Amino acid sequence: MRFSPPRPLFDANAAAGGASGKGLGSLPDWDLSDLYPGPDAPEYERDMDWLIQACADFAAKYEGKLASLSAAGLLGCVQDYEAIDVTAGRIMSYAGLRYYQNTMDSERAKFMSDAQDEVTDATTALVFFSLEFNRLEDSHLETLLAGNADLARYRPVFERMRAMRPHQLSDEMEKFLHDQSVVGASAWNKLFDETMAGLMFRVEGEEEELNLEATLNLLTDPLREKREAAAKALALVFDKNIKLFARVHNTLAKEKEIEDRWRKMPTPQTGRHLSNHVEPEVVEALRNAVVAAYPKLSHRYYALKAKWMGLERLQVWDRNAPLPLETPKVIDWATAEKTVTEAYAAFHPELAKLAEPFFKKGWIDAGVKPGKAPGAFAHPTVTTVHPYVMLNYLGKQRDVMTLAHELGHGVHQVLAAGQGELLSSTPLTLAETASVFGEMLTFRKLLDEAKTPAEKKTLLAGKVEDMINTVVRQIAFYDFECKLHAARQDGELTPDGINALWMSVQSESLGPIFDFMDGYETFWAYIPHFIHSPFYVYAYAFGDGLVNALYAAYADGLPGFEEKYFELLKAGGSKHHKELLAPFGLDASDPKFWDKGLEMIAGFIDELEAME
């Protein structure tokens, strides 16, 4: 249930921001009135009052009685639970999205905190539901499901709930953890967000101090000295704040370790795998395949990039540098919209039609503004409203790809909404499917339209870099998290200790061509995924590998691919990844599956080498 505000889970290739929309045309802002007209709107108060009463009524009606319910009675119970989920999700979506528009606004921060407090207090009455449901005998539940098709539709929800049975605590302890959550991880999340939003960086050569987004954006500047100045400014400020960031990581990792220990989770990653409905061995196969491919992917590509740049060694500020043959250009918003929409329409007109309201109805917030959360994300809100997309658009080609990516999420969320609140939510492992596929469609359109070999080379190199960021870099992040959580079990980690863990995965993943400046060891500090959603990052690599295999099936002319693809998106969280991929002849549990996706990246690098 969505009892927390939306978290800004910034996508792997989200554009780094800057300070203006100059030359970009009119950038859209969110219209949050589809959720509520305003923070003081009577509709908001009405829904909060309803939620408080509905939660109390639910407990009075069902607590201690689930085992005695008929199939129709249990269906009614689940539907009542779902209705509460919709209202709680609507409230927290509004509070969270409004906050992320300006995280430095204390009124917005207070509004979100107060909303979370009220929702958490109200929904404490519901904690019994999953606990009591999980105590139902398997044979009894199967009898109920066999006799009622409407109830059986919720089987995937029940299976995910019952996967937690071995890790369930006492009713009293579960209620305590629910109540305590507002001053636990969520409070540390807010501290991190507000600290990051408030950091300012003095970059040599810049007239004014810059925020994090603008400074990260300079790492893609054509001028090498400007990239170097930005990297050193980042390192300086991160180092000044490193004790705070180390405290946040230490506290959250320890809190997780305590809860995992009480729940008898065998590994720190187990909870994420359970919520993703994916087997640990599948994730391990993905991780191992990517690590084994480092030499033929990132190591080989960056050596090629050094050659293009006329350098014997690369520095960390060269990693995302534009190629020397690349002509810097600003892509205005109207062109970006046209590019992505046409790419979607070329696949199927319905895909473009689903994307249209995002542009026309205030479902996108694109401009870079003071206090706005960095990066990009798509938040589904609730199935009775619609998703919202956040960008920090600066007119770079990578920003256009980010738009294609986030619109993919949005379209996926719109299609899955037909499943209803409890079945629409897609596990993270499949949540990147439509986003990465949308990127691939847009990339292929741009590649087909390339007029010169230099333009084609630039596009191919940009795509390879994005794929390396999505696959190689995210698996390196995952390894860093695994090491950090394992080390935290042995005691408090010093900033130097965390720095050492970070550096242990960097040279391995990026390759021997890189030198690492003093200060780069602190760059773990600004990655929000580690704070907001531990072990989230492997979902990016999972999604990229899955989509590469899917796209290969599409390119090979698999009969009925478009219809099968739409059915996959409409399924939301109602089916396991094995069942969803079967119509395409794919199986993610086959270790060789991941090699197919990695071969696509290697193939692009082959093309680049052939252009030499």
Side-chain angles (χ1 to χ4, degrees):
M1 300 182 82
R2 292 194 189 98
F3 297 151
S4 297
R7 293 171 171 178
L9 294 173
F10 315 117
D11 274 318
N13 295 319
S20 76
K22 189 176 180 181
L24 302 179
S26 179
L27 296 173
D29 297 315
W30 276 337
D31 176 3
L32 298 180
S33 63
D34 287 346
L35 291 166
Y36 293 104
D40 56 355
E43 293 90 340
Y44 179 87
E45 289 300 323
R46 176 204 66 203
D47 280 0
M48 185 66 84
D49 290 343
W50 180 89
L51 178 70
I52 293 167
Q53 187 60 52
C55 289
D57 291 347
F58 185 90
K61 185 174 182 181
Y62 296 114
E63 189 165 11
K65 302 168 188 172
L66 292 193
S68 63
L69 293 176
S70 64
L74 185 57
L75 175 63
C77 174
V78 172
Q79 290 171 335
D80 288 347
Y81 187 94
E82 192 165 33
I84 289 171
D85 196 11
V86 169
T87 301
R90 188 182 197 122
I91 288 169
M92 291 316 306
S93 292
Y94 177 72
L97 293 174
R98 188 169 170 270
Y99 168 71
Y100 288 124
Q101 283 183 300
N102 188 354
T103 61
M104 300 305 290
D105 184 335
S106 56
E107 184 278 324
R108 292 177 187 235
K110 172 179 164 52
F111 182 83
M112 185 175 76
S113 292
D114 289 348
Q116 190 166 17
D117 286 349
E118 286 193 80
V119 169
T120 301
D121 288 347
T123 55
T124 298
L126 306 183
V127 172
F128 81 89
F129 173 71
S130 61
L131 306 175
E132 197 172 316
F133 186 91
N134 282 349
R135 288 196 288 265
L136 295 177
E137 294 292 336
D138 288 340
S139 57
H140 174 65
L141 180 59
E142 284 302 322
T143 300
L144 296 180
L145 295 176
N148 190 305
D150 290 334
L151 181 64
R153 197 175 73 83
Y154 290 95
R155 181 185 287 275
V157 178
F158 301 154
E159 288 176 350
R160 286 194 283 272
M161 283 171 59
R162 289 169 84 80
M164 285 296 294
R165 286 169 87 183
H167 311 294
Q168 199 165 282
L169 302 177
S170 69
D171 292 14
E172 187 177 36
M173 180 63 81
E174 293 286 0
K175 287 179 180 178
F176 166 76
L177 289 174
H178 181 83
D179 275 350
Q180 184 259 355
S181 63
V182 294
V183 292
S186 65
W188 289 96
N189 287 178
K190 278 187 283 188
L191 173 64
F192 174 84
D193 291 339
E194 290 167 9
T195 301
M196 274 298 163
L199 292 183
M200 299 301 290
F201 302 83
R202 174 64 67 184
V203 180
E204 186 178 342
E206 294 295 311
E207 293 181 6
E208 299 178 349
E209 284 191 319
L210 304 176
N211 65 9
L212 177 63
E213 282 290 302
T215 310
L216 289 171
N217 184 54
L218 290 177
L219 295 178
T220 64
D221 196 274
L223 294 176
R224 195 172 191 231
E225 58 268 26
K226 191 167 282 192
R227 298 196 304 272
E228 179 180 356
K232 289 180 175 177
L234 289 165
L236 184 66
V237 175
F238 291 158
D239 185 63
K240 285 180 179 177
N241 293 273
I242 203 66
K243 288 184 179 179
L244 172 62
F245 296 131
R247 171 61 48 222
V248 173
H249 279 73
N250 266 294
T251 303
L252 288 173
K254 185 61 179 177
E255 182 187 60
K256 187 177 190 311
E257 185 273 324
I258 292 169
E259 186 168 333
D260 283 351
R261 178 160 31 91
W262 277 74
R263 292 192 183 282
K264 296 181 172 57
M265 295 279 187
T267 72
Q269 300 83 6
T270 298
R272 174 62 59 202
H273 300 335
L274 286 171
S275 68
N276 282 345
H277 206 41
V278 65
E279 301 76 16
E281 56 271 22
V282 172
V283 178
E284 188 66 11
L286 163 65
R287 182 263 171 202
N288 292 342
V290 173
V291 172
Y294 284 170
K296 70 176 182 180
L297 301 181
S298 49
H299 297 189
R300 185 162 62 117
Y301 173 76
Y302 288 128
L304 200 56
K305 184 168 187 174
K307 184 178 175 183
W308 294 333
M309 297 178 73
L311 299 170
E312 289 190 12
R313 307 283 300 162
L314 291 181
Q315 300 290 336
V316 291
W317 54 79
D318 297 318
R319 188 172 61 83
N320 287 323
L323 299 185
L325 51 81
E326 194 171 332
T327 304
K329 61 179 179 178
V330 174
I331 303 166
D332 63 38
W333 179 254
T335 303
E337 177 181 345
K338 182 173 184 287
T339 299
V340 176
T341 302
E342 287 181 354
Y344 276 30
F347 172 76
H348 197 288
E350 181 64 18
L351 203 60
K353 185 177 177 183
L354 288 163
E356 185 178 354
F358 285 86
F359 294 103
K360 307 299 183 191
K361 296 186 176 182
W363 298 5
I364 300 176
D365 196 302
V368 179
K369 306 161 198 169
K372 182 178 174 181
F377 64 85
H379 179 61
T381 73
V382 288
T383 53
T384 54
V385 187
H386 56 76
Y388 284 90
V389 163
M390 196 197 82
L391 307 170
N392 278 276
Y393 187 82
L394 280 165
K396 295 189 175 186
Q397 186 168 287
R398 183 166 285 174
D399 298 1
V400 179
M401 300 303 287
T402 300
L403 171 61
H405 183 106
E406 299 307 336
L407 266 185
H409 278 307
V411 166
H412 194 171
Q413 291 158 358
V414 168
L415 288 169
Q419 295 289 343
E421 200 67 20
L422 295 181
L423 284 163
S424 65
S425 183
T426 308
L428 291 181
T429 42
L430 291 167
E432 295 298 325
T433 304
S435 55
V436 180
F437 197 85
E439 269 193 87
M440 185 65 81
L441 292 172
T442 304
F443 164 70
R444 290 291 185 179
K445 171 182 165 58
L446 293 171
L447 195 65
D448 289 344
E449 294 174 353
K451 295 179 175 62
T452 66
E455 190 176 348
K456 183 177 181 182
K457 185 175 182 179
T458 298
L459 283 164
L460 269 173
K463 183 60 178 172
V464 169
E465 290 200 11
D466 285 348
M467 294 171 105
I468 287 173
N469 283 337
T470 305
V471 178
V472 170
R473 194 141 174 83
Q474 301 305 314
I475 289 300
F477 283 177
Y478 177 68
D479 278 355
F480 166 72
E481 284 191 276
C482 291
K483 290 184 175 188
L484 185 143
H485 283 264
R488 183 64 181 90
Q489 293 181 10
D490 295 329
E492 177 92 3
L493 295 171
T494 64
D496 285 346
I498 301 176
N499 291 348
L501 295 176
W502 172 254
M503 293 308 298
S504 73
V505 302
Q506 293 305 302
S507 58
E508 179 191 21
S509 60
L510 295 179
I513 198 72
F514 275 93
D515 288 329
F516 297 96
M517 69 171 192
D518 288 342
Y520 183 67
E521 65 273 8
T522 64
F523 275 45
W524 53 268
Y526 81 95
I527 310 296
H529 303 73
F530 304 153
I531 301 297
H532 287 293
S533 199
F535 305 108
Y536 177 98
V537 288
Y538 74 72
Y540 289 124
F542 195 110
D544 196 86
L546 188 154
V547 168
N548 289 342
L550 265 183
Y551 197 89
Y554 170 57
D556 289 343
L558 179 72
F561 181 92
E562 291 85 347
E563 291 74 17
K564 291 174 182 177
Y565 179 71
F566 278 113
E567 287 305 309
L568 182 153
L569 300 188
K570 288 176 184 176
S574 67
K575 295 179 181 178
H576 188 267
H577 63 78
K578 210 171 183 73
E579 188 179 355
L580 286 171
L581 293 176
F584 303 92
L586 302 171
D587 181 2
S589 64
D590 179 357
K592 294 179 181 176
F593 171 84
W594 301 112
D595 293 331
K596 294 178 185 177
L598 297 173
E599 283 303 320
M600 178 176 283
I601 307 175
F604 287 155
I605 300 173
D606 291 343
E607 285 189 60
L608 288 168
E609 286 183 334
M611 290 179 181
E612 288 301 292

